[in-house]
């Protein structure tokens, strides 16, 4: 359900959500809660992807409600058992871009999709209505091994140096987050109207025993987020608790 909300937001099919943040004591009894109403997503941050990382990854979501209220809490909070979660590792990912060799992509820097949500301050209502504004998709920074970058240099030469940068020269691609077996998809972000604007070899020390890399900077005009149709009961990378009434 969370990914459906994000996916709809990225397609400008805005969905307002109500919810609550519940605090509990050491016995997991709810002691307070802050309810929020008519919230719209304002930011979704995808964590940095790194083939050498062993730390778990977490997706960050920000939303702007029209108003919040403190209310009396009741019931007990059931923590999500760690054994029910599938660990989302930033090292398990796959990048594909039409016509480019992406087999040796090493990292994708963290990026954030932003949605402005201005307030409609006209009128005498105490709670101001939030309205969707501009949807902004970020640039991408991708690092890959230099020995597999020939197709990237060819695209840069044609797209930037020669100036063949019309819509027909833009590319489509995807970033796929994989399970531990590196086969099952946990999440996929489809990329549309990709264009390259910078490509440079990375600095390295002389005589250093390290693989030479290059870093590419791409703009992306549109992204779509897709989750598998059969979702796990507990989505990867989401921490929280459920409240029993």
């Amino acid at each position: 359900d969370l990914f459906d909300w994000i996916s709809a937001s990225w397609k400008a099919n805005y969905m307002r959500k109500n919810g609550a943040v519940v605090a509990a004591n050491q016995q997991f009894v709810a002691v307070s809660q802050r309810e929020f109403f008519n919230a719209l997503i304002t930011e979704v941050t995808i964590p940095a992807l790194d083939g050498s990382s062993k730390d778990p990854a977490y997706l960050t979501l920000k939303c702007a409600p029209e108003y919040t209220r403190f209310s009396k809490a009741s019931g007990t909070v059931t923590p999500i058992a760690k054994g029910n979660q599938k660990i989302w590792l930033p090292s398990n990912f796959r990048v594909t871009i039409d016509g480019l060799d992406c087999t040796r992509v090493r990292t994708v820097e963290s990026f954030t999709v932003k949605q402005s949500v201005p307030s409609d301050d006209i009128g005498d209502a105490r709670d101001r209505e939030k309205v969707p504004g501009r949807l902004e998709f970020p640039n991408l920074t991708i690092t890959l091994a230099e020995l597999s970058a020939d197709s990237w240099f060819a695209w840069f030469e044609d797209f930037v140096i020669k100036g063949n940068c019309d819509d027909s020269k833009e590319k489509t691609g995807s970033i796929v987050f994989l399970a531990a077996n590196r086969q099952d998809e946990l999440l996929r972000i489809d990329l549309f109207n990709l264009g390259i604007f910078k490509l440079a070899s990375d600095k390295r020390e002389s005589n250093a025993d390290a693989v030479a890399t290059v870093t590419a900077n791409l703009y992306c005009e549109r992204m779509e987020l897709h989750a598998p149709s059969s979702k796990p009961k507990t989505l990867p990378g989401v921490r929280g608790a459920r409240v029993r009434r």
Side-chain angles (χ1 to χ4, degrees), residues 13-141:
N13 298 325
Y14 306 108
M15 301 165 59
R16 301 176 188 271
K17 296 287 186 181
N18 302 331
V21 179
V22 181
N25 60 21
Q26 292 181 345
Q27 286 72 44
F28 301 107
V29 176
V31 296
S32 67
Q33 70 176 12
R34 174 181 285 186
E35 296 181 282
F36 59 86
F37 301 88
N38 301 328
L40 291 169
I41 293 175
T42 58
E43 292 186 11
V44 179
T45 298
I46 305 299
L49 305 178
D50 186 341
S52 63
S53 175
K54 299 186 183 302
D55 297 324
Y58 292 96
L59 179 143
T60 302
L61 181 143
K62 295 182 180 181
C63 59
E66 289 185 351
Y67 62 97
T68 62
R69 295 288 185 269
F70 282 103
S71 59
K72 185 177 180 180
S74 62
T76 59
V77 175
T78 303
I80 297 175
K82 292 183 178 180
N84 293 335
Q85 296 193 45
K86 293 184 178 180
I87 296 179
W88 178 15
L89 295 176
S91 57
N92 296 335
F93 70 95
R94 179 174 65 242
V95 175
T96 58
I97 299 176
D98 294 341
L100 299 182
D101 183 356
C102 299
T103 56
R104 295 180 182 270
V105 170
R106 298 170 66 103
T107 65
V108 179
E109 288 190 8
S110 176
F111 59 91
T112 301
V113 177
K114 297 182 179 181
Q115 168 72 62
S116 64
V117 183
S119 298
D120 184 0
D121 296 329
I122 299 176
D124 57 1
R126 185 177 68 174
D127 299 314
R128 306 302 186 185
E129 180 184 5
K130 299 285 189 180
V131 294
R134 180 183 177 186
L135 182 61
E136 180 182 344
F137 294 105
N139 296 331
L140 299 174
T141 301

Side-chain angles (χ1 to χ4, degrees), residues 100-230:
L100 299 182
D101 183 356
C102 299
T103 56
R104 295 180 182 270
V105 170
R106 298 170 66 103
T107 65
V108 179
E109 288 190 8
S110 176
F111 59 91
T112 301
V113 177
K114 297 182 179 181
Q115 168 72 62
S116 64
V117 183
S119 298
D120 184 0
D121 296 329
I122 299 176
D124 57 1
R126 185 177 68 174
D127 299 314
R128 306 302 186 185
E129 180 184 5
K130 299 285 189 180
V131 294
R134 180 183 177 186
L135 182 61
E136 180 182 344
F137 294 105
N139 296 331
L140 299 174
T141 301
I142 300 174
T143 300
L144 65 151
E146 188 173 303
L147 60 86
S148 64
D150 289 349
S151 56
W152 293 73
F153 280 110
W155 184 33
F156 181 80
E157 175 74 18
D158 183 63
F159 197 85
V160 178
I161 304 301
K162 296 181 179 179
N164 297 319
C165 53
D166 55 55
D167 291 349
S168 65
K169 298 296 184 179
E170 293 177 335
K171 297 182 180 293
T172 59
S174 66
I175 300 173
V176 178
F177 308 99
L178 301 171
N181 60 12
R182 302 186 68 85
Q183 298 295 325
D184 299 334
E185 290 190 11
L186 298 177
L187 197 66
R188 188 179 80 254
I189 297 176
D190 289 334
L191 312 170
F192 300 92
N193 301 104
L194 289 167
I196 191 169
F197 60 89
K198 183 178 180 181
L199 182 66
S201 298
D202 297 322
K203 181 181 178 180
R204 64 182 187 271
E205 300 294 333
S206 61
N207 300 322
D209 186 15
V211 175
T213 59
V214 299
T215 297
N217 295 98
L218 315 176
Y219 66 79
C220 181
E221 295 182 3
R222 183 167 60 91
M223 298 179 182
E224 291 184 1
L225 183 143
H226 302 277
S229 55
S230 58

